[in-house]
Each structure stands twice: as C-alpha cells, then as structure tokens.
C-alpha cells in the first residue's frame, strides 16, 4: 500500500525515469504519432432548491405576504436623486433560510431608500455565507443564525454564498429595488474575497462561461523540469492494518503545458494517492482539512454510515475514517461535500486497490485514472457550470493533458503488463484500448470477464467503464515500437485522453 503519514511537500510526485522521444511507429499510426498527436486536443446539474417566498418587515414586525417589503404609507416612486425615495426613512428586515445549495427566498423586493437589515439562518449540513455583492463576511455554521445590516439600498443588487461553487449551484438572491435608480447589473463575481476568520476564498471560478477561462494549446510542450505523474501501482505493504494521513490543501497545479488551475487535493496531488491492500484488511485514514472550506472523503471500498465517516469537516478539523475491505477490486474515493461535482471536478478523487485472492505477479503494474478538466481562469478553480453541463476542456489520464505522450511509459519487450483503470469522472465514461495488442485477461467491477488461457481462446479489445467504475487488463507488447493507449471514445482521445507505451 502507498501511504503518506505526512502532508506532501512538493507540487508534483516523483516521476519514473525519463526517456527519449517515442520510437517512430509504422503504418497507420505513423501519422498519428508524428503529426496528429501533438495537436490532438481541440477544445448533476445540481437541483436548485429555491423558494418564491418574498419577505420584508415594517417597523416593529416582519412582513411576509407580498413581493414588496416596505413600511409606512408607500410614497410614490421617484428618482433616487430626489428627496422622496419611496423607502426613505423606512426600515426593512428580510428573513432568509440557507440550506445546502439553496437560499430562500431567492428573490426579494424592497423600496429604494429603505434601510435594510437581514436575518439569516443556516439549516444546511455545512457552513455557508450570505454576502451582499460578495463582500467579506464570516461563515455561518449549521444551525446558527446571524443578523446583517445592509444599509440603505437605492438600486437592484445581488447577494450570494461566497464559498466556491455555492453561488453557481443556486445560492444566489436577487434583490429588486423599486422606485430608485435604474437597475444595474450587480452580479460581478467577488474576486479574492476571503471570509473572516480564515474562511473560504470566494468565486473566481469562472463559472459563468467567462471568456477569461484558460485555454489549452494542443501543440504546446511542458517546460524544462516538468515531471509526469508516476503511474506505477503501489505494492501491498503486507500489513493487515493500513494507516495513512490525507491532508486536504487547495493549491495551484499545472494541468496542461502552461495552464495552471487551483486544484483541491489530497496530499497535494490530483488525483490523490493510490492505496492498496487485500480482502479483510483494515484501512484507517486520518483526514486533515487544511483547506479554506469544508471537505470530506468517501471511500467506495467501504461499508459505513455516510453521515459519520463521510461527513464534511471544517478547515482545521480532523476526521478518522476506518473500514474493513470486504470486497476486491479497484475502488474510487472522492470528496462528497456539496456541490460534489465541483469538489470531484477540481481534483478530489483517487483510487484504492483491494487485490483479488491469488492475484498473479506481473512484470509491470500501472494505475491510470481518467478524469475531465473544466477550466476556469488561469490559476483559479475549475468552472462549475461547465461541469454541470459536461462541457469539458480535456479528458486526461492522471490529471494532465496528453501526459504520457509527453513522457511515454517504458515497457520491456515481452513483459506482462497489468493496467488498473479507475474512471474518476465526474461525467465521462471510458473504453480503454491499447493499439497493437489484445487483452488476454480482463477484470471489471469485482469479477474476471476474461482470463488468460480460456478454452474459447477469447480476447478483449477494450475495458469499458462508467464514472467511478474500475477494473484491470493484462497484456504483452512483444515487439519494439510505440503503442498508443486511449479511451476509444474518440472525442475524448482528441481532448487529451491519450498516452504511449514505449517498448524497446
């Protein structure tokens, strides 16, 4: 098992020994490898739980029965430059309820010039904020309430939860101010906002289809000193109890040549560390949240109460997640905090291998985790709305665009190779294929579907997996040359889901 007892101190994991450029292929793959490959990349919806309740209050009490929250006799609307704003001298109190990915009401109306106070209660399972125009305010813990003074409003505006992804998942309030200045578009993203007391960094996710989102140049090459993610499968350490510390950090990582994103990581990498053991082993994982928002972890290899072991923990908190592996296979783990697609899409996933009994030894054993990239602006988190729409910028192995084209994986001629495949998603499936060979052994989701030496003399061309499914294939590459591997969903291959085995 590969464990990490201390947080990672480097941006990238150690790389395998680097090699020279791939040996030229022959026939129909020559053009692909020598010309097509360097330029191959071209470019849950979450339910918005919202209420239509519109509330306000007159002096001395709260108002709940109409779109206009006001007090007094309601003077006629006039220009905000005049002295007779309809809400001038009046006090309005707005009541809001927050839950996980909703604020209700999500629309309110107040008269221009009114002095607005807000009372908000958090009925969700994790911390949230309610911030006028994304301005700084502290996080509100589950079950807590607070009062905010927004002051005099003269034009329409917005308020939202500044925790990354929450606004675009539905935590947004439209504040319609009537009888004042012309309504202005007031929904500019908060930039670099940080809630008080070390709370979450705000928006900056580019989650509006922003043209400022980073772009991948398919012809670009990594800079000198770049190291690929080491695909070598960890060995089982032989212990019956496997202990590891997973430290959550949010850090800027290169995901394609010249393209950096803020990735949410376990131990500093996206995907996170691969763990390994056998059926009956105990895994004891200490989760330490050093991020700026709530995070969690969900091991698909476990059978535990989700509200206990998989609960979201706040920044600075620690959780010990313990389970016994009862079933064999390669299982996904991922962050389960809302919006789950946003945490997974920003890199919070990885794999745990539980060996089937009597798994034979092979000459080379690898782990490839497929996932998608939904780019936000350079250096920022990914784009939530693109994740929800499935509008990816890249499909990658082990977190980097065309990683193993830039750094082919070396294999000796005739070596028996086992490749564990985990589809980390969050959205795309995979039909894993190696050009130039046939799989003689295939394991998928808990069982062999094909074994070497079968009497039917059968072979397989792909291992097909849906998001968070896993399995492995075994094969040999007998002759010197370059053997591309890919997801045979061709648009995904063309978007960065391609690599090369370099033999000889």
């Amino acid at each position: 098992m590969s464990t990490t007892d201390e947080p990672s101190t480097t941006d990238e994991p150690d790389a395998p020994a680097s090699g020279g450029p791939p040996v030229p292929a022959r026939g129909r793959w020559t053009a692909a490898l020598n010309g097509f490959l360097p330029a191959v990349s071209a470019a849950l919806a979450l339910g918005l739980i919202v209420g239509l309740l519109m509330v306000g209050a007159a002096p001395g009490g709260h108002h709940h029965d109409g779109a206009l929250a006001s007090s007094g006799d309601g003077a006629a609307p006039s220009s905000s430059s005049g002295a007779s704003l309809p809400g001038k001298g009046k006090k309005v109190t707005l009541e809001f309820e927050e839950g996980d990915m909703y604020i209700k009401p999500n629309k309110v109306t107040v008269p221009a010039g009114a002095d607005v106070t807000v009372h908000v209660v958090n009925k969700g399972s994790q911390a949230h904020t309610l911030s006028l125009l994304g301005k700084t305010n502290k996080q509100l813990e589950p079950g807590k309430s607070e009062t905010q003074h927004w002051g005099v409003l003269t034009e329409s505006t917005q308020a939202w939860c500044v925790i990354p992804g929450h606004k675009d998942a539905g935590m947004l309030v439209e504040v319609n101010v009537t009888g004042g200045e012309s309504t202005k578009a007031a929904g500019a993203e908060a930039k670099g906002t940080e809630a008080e007391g070390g709370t979450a960094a705000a928006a900056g996710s580019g989650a509006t289809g922003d043209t400022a989102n980073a772009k991948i140049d398919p012809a670009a090459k990594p800079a000198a000193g770049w190291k690929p993610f080491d695909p070598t499968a960890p060995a089982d350490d032989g212990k019956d109890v496997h202990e590891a510390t997973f430290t959550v950090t949010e850090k800027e990582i290169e995901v394609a040549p010249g393209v950096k994103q803020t990735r949410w990581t376990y131990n500093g990498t996206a995907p996170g560390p691969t763990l390994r053991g056998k059926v009956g082993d105990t895994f004891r994982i200490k989760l330490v949240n050093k991020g700026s928002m709530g995070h969690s972890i969900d091991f698909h290899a476990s059978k535990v109460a989700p509200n206990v072991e998989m609960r979201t923990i706040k920044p600075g908190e620690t959780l010990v997640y313990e389970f016994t592996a009862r079933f064999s296979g390669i299982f996904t783990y991922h962050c389960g905090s809302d919006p789950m697609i946003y945490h997974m899409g920003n890199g919070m996933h990885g794999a745990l291998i539980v060996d089937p009994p009597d798994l034979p030894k092979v000459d080379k054993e690898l782990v490839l985790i497929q996932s998608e990239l939904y780019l936000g602006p350079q250096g920022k988190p990914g784009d939530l709305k693109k994740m929800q729409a499935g509008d990816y910028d890249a499909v990658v192995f082990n977190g980097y665009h065309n990683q193993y084209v830039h750094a082919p994986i070396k294999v000796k001629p005739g070596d028996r190779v086992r490749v564990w495949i985990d589809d980390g998603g969050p959205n795309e499936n995979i039909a894993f294929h190696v050009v130039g060979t046939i799989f003689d052994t295939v394991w998928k989701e808990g069982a062999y579907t094909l074994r070497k030496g079968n009497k039917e003399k059968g072979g397989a061309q792909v291992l097909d997996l849906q998001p968070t499914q896993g399995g492995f294939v075994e094969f040999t590459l007998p002759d010197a040359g370059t053997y591309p591997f890919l997801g045979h969903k061709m648009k995904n291959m063309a978007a960065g889901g391609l690599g090369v085995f370099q033999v000889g």
Side-chain angles (χ1 to χ4, degrees):
M1 182 183 86
S2 173
T3 64
T4 304
D5 294 323
E6 297 295 336
S8 173
T9 58
T10 59
D11 286 348
E12 298 94 359
D14 291 337
S18 60
V23 178
R26 306 213 176 259
R28 64 190 179 92
W29 282 98
T30 300
L33 291 172
N34 294 339
F36 179 63
L37 295 183
V40 342
S41 303
L44 247 231
L46 294 176
L48 305 183
I49 310 172
V50 296
L52 296 179
L53 175 65
M54 300 182 181
V55 297
H62 299 301
H63 185 82
H64 295 280
D65 58 356
L68 183 65
S70 63
S71 61
D73 57 7
S78 65
S79 169
S80 61
S81 61
S84 57
L85 291 173
K88 185 177 180 180
K90 300 176 182 179
K91 296 183 181 295
V92 171
T93 299
L94 303 177
E95 300 278 355
F96 291 101
E97 175 188 313
E98 290 187 309
D100 293 333
M101 304 312 113
Y102 75 86
I103 301 174
K104 62 180 183 182
N106 67 337
K107 296 179 182 178
V108 293
T109 300
V110 298
D115 189 347
V116 177
T117 296
V118 168
H119 183 259
V120 56
V121 59
N122 182 2
K123 293 188 177 181
S125 62
Q126 58 183 291
H128 295 293
T129 72
L130 181 62
S131 180
L132 184 66
L133 283 177
K135 296 178 181 178
T136 300
N137 65 287
K138 65 181 181 182
Q139 289 188 9
L140 186 61
E141 297 301 323
K144 302 295 185 179
S145 62
E146 68 175 359
T147 299
Q148 302 176 16
H149 183 220
W150 284 1
V152 174
L153 300 183
T154 59
E155 62 184 46
S156 295
T157 186
Q158 292 179 331
W160 59 80
C161 179
V162 303
I163 294 176
H166 289 200
K167 173 185 175 184
D168 292 301
M171 299 193 73
L172 173 69
V173 176
E174 299 284 352
V175 182
N176 181 34
V177 176
T178 60
E181 298 176 1
S182 298
T183 299
K184 296 180 179 180
E189 295 286 342
K191 296 182 179 180
T193 305
E194 186 173 328
E196 295 175 6
T199 51
S205 65
T208 57
D210 191 346
T211 56
N213 284 351
K215 303 293 183 184
I216 293 173
D217 177 0
K221 296 181 179 180
W226 169 81
K227 294 181 180 180
F229 190 104
D230 187 351
T232 305
D236 182 1
D237 61 11
K239 298 177 181 179
D240 295 330
V241 178
H242 309 279
E243 295 184 301
T245 297
F246 276 25
T247 301
V248 176
T249 57
E250 298 146 16
K251 60 184 295 187
E252 191 173 295
I253 295 176
E254 187 172 83
V255 296
V259 178
K260 294 184 177 181
Q261 297 279 275
T262 294
R263 304 289 274 164
W264 303 346
T265 74
Y266 296 113
N267 288 355
T269 64
T274 298
L275 304 179
R276 190 166 194 173
K278 59 187 179 297
V279 175
D281 286 359
T282 295
F283 290 84
R284 186 176 298 130
I285 310 302
K286 181 180 179 182
L287 182 67
V288 180
N289 187 356
K290 291 189 176 180
S292 65
M293 69 198 84
H295 291 293
S296 65
I297 195 165
D298 168 2
F299 283 94
H300 284 200
S302 68
K303 294 185 69 174
V304 297
N307 63 310
V308 178
E309 304 279 24
M310 303 177 192
R311 69 185 184 275
T312 296
I313 61 173
K314 296 183 293 185
E317 290 187 338
T318 297
L319 168 71
V320 176
Y321 186 140
E322 184 172 323
F323 64 94
T324 299
R326 302 296 186 190
F327 300 90
S328 60
I330 179 170
F331 296 91
T332 302
Y333 66 79
H334 62 86
C335 183
S337 300
D338 285 332
M340 191 185 303
I341 192 173
Y342 201 42
H343 289 249
M344 293 179 69
N346 275 312
M348 298 193 76
H349 62 90
L352 185 152
I353 297 170
V354 182
D355 286 343
D358 303 318
L359 184 68
K361 293 185 178 299
V362 292
D363 298 304
K364 195 172 189 69
E365 196 169 18
L366 306 166
V367 177
L368 296 175
I369 299 174
Q370 179 182 281
S371 61
E372 305 108 56
L373 299 175
Y374 300 86
L375 300 181
Q378 181 79 346
K380 300 295 183 180
D383 187 320
L384 174 60
K385 288 187 176 178
K386 290 199 293 188
M387 294 176 195
Q388 293 171 327
D391 183 18
Y392 58 76
D393 293 278
V395 176
V396 298
F397 289 118
N398 292 345
Y400 195 95
H401 183 271
N402 275 351
Q403 173 159 218
Y404 303 114
V405 174
H406 299 302
I409 299 172
K410 291 185 175 182
V411 178
K412 294 179 181 178
D415 274 1
R416 185 158 186 83
V417 181
R418 177 183 296 129
V419 181
W420 294 88
I421 309 293
D422 177 63
D423 186 353
N427 295 319
E428 284 297 305
N429 53 23
I430 184 173
F432 182 74
H433 174 68
V434 179
V435 179
T437 193
I438 296 171
F439 307 145
D440 60 40
T441 300
V442 177
W443 169 286
K444 177 182 177 181
E445 284 291 278
Y448 286 99
T449 63
L450 181 68
R451 300 197 74 165
K452 181 183 178 183
N454 62 87
K455 65 181 181 180
E456 297 84 5
K457 299 186 181 299
Q461 54 201 310
V462 299
L463 169 59
D464 59 314
L465 301 169
Q466 292 295 326
T468 76
Q469 286 190 317
F472 68 79
V473 294
E474 294 178 6
F475 55 90
T476 59
L477 304 172
D479 302 320
T482 50
Y483 295 75
F485 61 86
L486 58 139
H488 223 292
K489 189 172 185 176
M490 300 308 292
K491 69 174 185 176
N492 293 352
M493 183 205 77
L498 182 66
V500 174
F501 291 120
Q502 180 178 316
V503 181

